[in-house]
Amino acid sequence: MPIRFLHTADWQLGKPFAGITDDTKRHAVQAERFAVVERITSLAVTHDVAFVLIAGDVFDSPTPTRSLVSQFCSAVGRIGRPTFVIPGNHDHGGAGGIWTQPFFEKEAAALAPNLRVLLAAEPVVVGSSAVILPCPLLRRHENQDLSAWLRSLPGLPSEAQSLPRIVLAHGTIINFGGAGAATDDDEASASGVNHLDLGRLSPDDYDFIALGDWHGHMQVGPKAWYSGTPEPDRFPRGETNLPGHVLLVDADRGSAPKVTPICTGRLGWHDLAFTFREGAGIDAFTTEFESLVGNRTHSDLLRLQLDGALGLEEHARLAALRETLDARLLRLKEELSIAVQPTDDEVKALTLRSGEPLTVRVAETLVLQTSDPDPGRARVARAALRSLHLALRSAT
Amino acid sequence: MRIIELTLQNYRVHREVTVRFEAGLTLIGGPNECGKSTIVEALHRALFLKAVGNTAEHRAMTPLSAASGPATVSVRFHAAGKNWTLRKVFGGKGSATLGADGGTSLSGDAAETRLATLLGVDGPTKGSGLQLQWAHLWLWQGTSGYDPTDPEQLPQARLTRSLQDQAGGVLLSSVIDDRLIRHFEGETSRYFTPANGRPTAELADAMQALSASQERHTKAVDRLRRFETAIDDFEDANRLLEQNVASARSLASERSQLEEQKGQLSALRAQEAREVSDVEKCSTAHADLLSHHNAIAGKAARLDELGRAIKPLSNQVSETESAATAAQGVAATAEETRTNSHAVSAKRRADYDLLQAFIHHRQAEGRLAELVARETDRQNATKELERLRTERARLPAVDAKILQQLTRLESERMEADAQVRSLATGLELLASDLPVHAGPLTLKRGEPVTITTETELSVGSSCVIRLRPGGGVSLADAKSTQAKIAEELSSLLGSLGLATVAAAQEARTAIDILTGQIKAAEKALGSREFSSLSEELNAARTAVTSAHAQLERLRNASTDAPLPDNLKAAEFKLSTARAAQETASEEAKQADESASSARKHAEKLRGAAEEQRRSLAEKECALRELETELRLLRATHGDDVTRATRLADANQAVNAAKTCLSQTQEAIKALQPDLLERTAVRLSRAEESLRREHTAQNERLIAAQALLRSDGTEDPVRDLADAVAALRRAEAHHDALVLEANSVRLARDTFREAQQALAERFTHPLVERIGGYLSCVFGPGTKVVLRHTPERFDGLSLVRADGAAIPFPALSGGAREQVAAAVRLAAAEFLAKDYDGTLPMVFDDSFAYSDPVRVRDLQSMLDLAASRSLQVIVLTCTPADYATLGAHTHSLGT
């Protein structure tokens, strides 16, 4: 008998987004993680799903605060359908984890009677609709394959034999090439701790494998899918990464599942790299930025990588432009390695001033010092030259 | 501009005085209080003080005797290409006139204004600020140590303009430059305190914020680490507890197996004890039987042995006794031989001693005879010596000195005789009819006469001829000398009892020969041969007596020994006797040993025979006792056959008991009792260790659980993320601020350096000139550093040849005077360009702190100034110090 359900994962509730300096903007991005749960609830109703599966990392940390727990339980309660969750690497089910804390159990019982936290590797029969085979992460450091117990499936009750069998797991199945520990919480990092060897499972034993951990949605086997996070929470890494979806799954025992990704994400996370050079200055950069973000405000986050070389005047314009971008965007994350070198004209303007003998002398000295072999001294000299340029502009 | 002449009338102490000034060097000398300073004061007043007025300065210049008239100063000077005459009468009704040679004369304000123009000042001064007019050229008393770059002491604007003209119009800074400098000074002071360059609050706050963020980050990391460590602890403790349970189960099984084996061991040990007792009993019975049996057999064997041993013993006793008797006979013979040998040896010794005594006697007699002969020789020699001495005493006492004297006199007499002979005149009458008389003598034909004195020769009676031999008195002198010497010789010979000098010489020779013989005789007598002769003679006599007595004693003792005839025979016989005596002595010694050995052997044999007899008696007694004992034992324990049967039965019983015991012990060994004990200890230890480990892991688990139990108020993961972000922001803010601060400071510093470089370029000619003057005083290589801001000269330091820079205020009083003078002179050179190329420089006792050597060096500096067209006017109370200046000198009296 076919069954329909929603597969989601990696809600990362409580993610601090600490890199966002502005409190309002930070709160807005944090709030969006609960707003998407409301959208998931609507989808559950619209598509009349039997249940919802959350494949780990509901919380961003194993120790969410009481307030966050209440907010989560309340949101799940509003889904109104059975909702199954397993711990992931961010919110593992081991010692100190949230799932066995008394205040969690109390709030869940009070606000989300439809929530079931699966903390044991054993089959769970969901009424007469499906058998869920969870692979919960019960330790902080797990170096065993949590799906190993599925290689020889224990006996199921006879009434469950014909039900679709759905594996619920959190972990990596391939090396996604994460760059180790990220420096910011809005950058991707490889979890790499809990590896799932799905190749050792008999394909006919299972009808769908619902995976969490990878934030883009992706099919990784004939019946295996990552749903990705329903609301993007970090800057993109590669073209194939498509976060901001949930999967609507129709499954049946012994047949291939039907999987429909549905977009749920709202915020735009962008990556823009631009190299300043002759013919590609501030104007060209402005055009590129506008094509990416348009006139939107407070709904986009941008990682901006700028390099190349700029003259003093252009650099001053860039500074002004960056202020504008910072105001419009929820987050402007800058990685700048721009060589600020006065143009020939600017050097001339500074050094060919017959009326200002001192200024000329100072400008000449500073221009020389920008080529100092000590990068620190050269940097200070460039900044001093910029200051001189600006001061001269306002003095004349 | 230069001063040519100054005339004062009724000015302070001066009634009227005129001073002429040279274009180069002028020295005004005079003691204190003579009015030197008054002269230059009057000059200054004439140039800069408005004539009409009644200020303190006006009043001060009025002479003490007011009746003489108003203070009047006339100055001739050269300026603007002309010679000018200025006359000022000071006071309320004063007047001023000024006129150029050949031009119209100005008076009143017109004169004052024109004068001010010529001097390059704003106008005549009415009193206030008067002293500061031309303060750079006028070193009043006491101002020589002032900083010469002070704005009051230096017309900075004028000098700057002059230096700019000199440098082709170099600009120090523009308005925009100045604005930028102020901008960067202001910006820098936002971040760094101007006083010491420390960070200001703005920068310090950022640093503090960074430090706080770092602290927060460290705390968050620690907290999360504690949390994660608690999780690890929990998981680890759980795993260990599970292992612990498994270990406990395995231990319990091992323990039950051990207990079973211990039960078996205990049963076997009881059985072993019983069997050991059985073996002991059987063994004791067998041992008793065996002991008796062995005792009887032993005694029987001993009896046989004793019986066999006694027989040879009695034979041995008789053999030994025979041998002892024979040995005694040998000993008696040996004793006899020994006695004989000793007698022969004594005889040989006596013969030898007699011969030796004979030889000694003969030798002593020989020695005595020799000494007696030497005594005779000595007596003969003494007699000969006395004879020689007597003979010498008989000769006249002609010593070497007297002989010399005699010889000399003899020689002198012969010389005198020769002289007389040569002076005498010989007369011989050849033929005469008349009697011819020579003095008292009558000459006869054929009889020549010699006259030696003045003699009258008369021929007849009419002819008298006086003859003077030698022609004068010398013949008489010669004769007198001859007589004197002859007398002296004769007297000397007479005193010696001699007739002639030859006799004296003979006597002398005889004395010498005798003296030599006497010395030889004395030497022979005094030789060692005779010195101790008397003692030797006595000793020899005693020796002869003693040797004779010894000989006699030995002769009496020896009956038959014939003595030899002579010493040689005796010595030959002595060597034979010594050999015989040694042989006899050796034979006696051997006889002693033989006798002793034979005696000991005999005694030993006698002792052995005695011992053998005693031993034989003891053994015979023991044999009898043993026979009795054996009989008694056999009666008690049965005969030999009965005893052997009993012994075999007992031995069989012992063997059976031992077999049982051995089997039981094998069974015990198979159980490894040691291992069982060790296992029990090991199991107890392991159980205890497990119990402790269980407790520890339980505690660890509980502690970790307590730490991990959350109340939902904190999220360490999230806190760390926040702390990281905050740290990054603080770092970024701090870095940006530091960069900004450093960049504006760099801009400011670069401006300052540029400013300094420009100022140095600008002040370079002035600094060079100053250095030229300083070299005169401080030597080559000395220079100054003169800072110049856009507004003013600021900061003067002296740099010595060794590179040490000393700020002007830190210099000594003397050095300050000298450096100030150099700076003023150099500045005056530049300023003089506006005054026809010359300006007066007045030094009023300006080198009070300089020592005489420096004052001399200063003169070359002043001379250099004069050679560069400056008019140098020096006032001093010690003109002598300036003797080498070569200046025109105006001396003032008291």
Side-chain angles (χ1 to χ4, degrees), chain A residues 92-156:
Chain A
H92 62 83
I98 184 62
W99 308 108
T100 52
Q101 298 289 356
F103 73 88
F104 172 80
E105 288 169 344
K106 189 167 150 281
E107 281 302 81
L111 300 175
N114 56 326
L115 173 67
R116 196 158 161 204
V117 182
L118 306 179
L119 293 174
E122 60 189 18
V124 175
V125 179
V126 186
S128 58
S129 59
V131 176
I132 297 172
L133 302 158
C135 303
L137 218 158
L138 298 175
R139 287 198 288 192
R140 197 164 79 89
H141 298 298
E142 184 56 81
N143 44 21
Q144 305 294 317
D145 179 3
L146 293 172
S147 66
W149 75 282
L150 298 173
R151 289 173 201 159
S152 54
L153 189 64
L156 295 173

Side-chain angles (χ1 to χ4, degrees), chain B residues 545-568:
Chain B
T545 312
S546 164
H548 183 73
Q550 173 71 359
L551 182 63
E552 285 305 309
R553 273 195 303 278
L554 291 176
R555 219 171 172 174
N556 291 340
S558 172
T559 51
D560 55 350
L563 283 171
D565 300 333
N566 54 44
L567 185 59
K568 202 169 177 186

Side-chain angles (χ1 to χ4, degrees), chain A residues 242-313:
Chain A
L242 290 168
H245 290 75
V246 293
L247 301 180
L248 180 67
V249 183
D250 291 295
D252 199 357
R253 177 75 194 111
S255 56
K258 185 185 167 218
V259 178
T260 313
I262 301 171
C263 182
T264 49
R266 198 182 73 78
L267 299 181
W269 289 72
H270 312 286
D271 200 4
L272 175 57
F274 191 88
T275 300
F276 291 108
R277 57 184 184 278
E278 198 158 343
I282 299 298
D283 293 338
F285 166 67
T286 310
T287 308
E288 200 156 318
F289 168 76
E290 282 172 354
S291 74
L292 199 63
V293 180
N295 291 328
R296 287 193 302 277
T297 58
H298 285 216
S299 60
D300 293 274
L301 300 92
L302 176 64
R303 181 171 59 193
L304 184 59
Q305 291 169 289
L306 296 178
D307 54 20
L310 279 180
L312 298 175
E313 190 54 41

Side-chain angles (χ1 to χ4, degrees), chain B residues 507-563:
Chain B
R508 178 68 211 159
T509 306
I511 287 168
D512 283 348
I513 291 166
L514 283 173
T515 304
Q517 287 171 342
I518 288 165
K519 271 185 185 162
E522 281 169 351
K523 192 176 174 187
L525 273 174
S527 72
R528 199 170 52 176
E529 194 184 354
F530 295 118
S531 64
S532 58
L533 190 58
S534 167
E535 289 85 356
E536 284 177 55
L537 210 50
N538 286 336
R541 278 183 187 122
T542 311
V544 167
T545 312
S546 164
H548 183 73
Q550 173 71 359
L551 182 63
E552 285 305 309
R553 273 195 303 278
L554 291 176
R555 219 171 172 174
N556 291 340
S558 172
T559 51
D560 55 350
L563 283 171

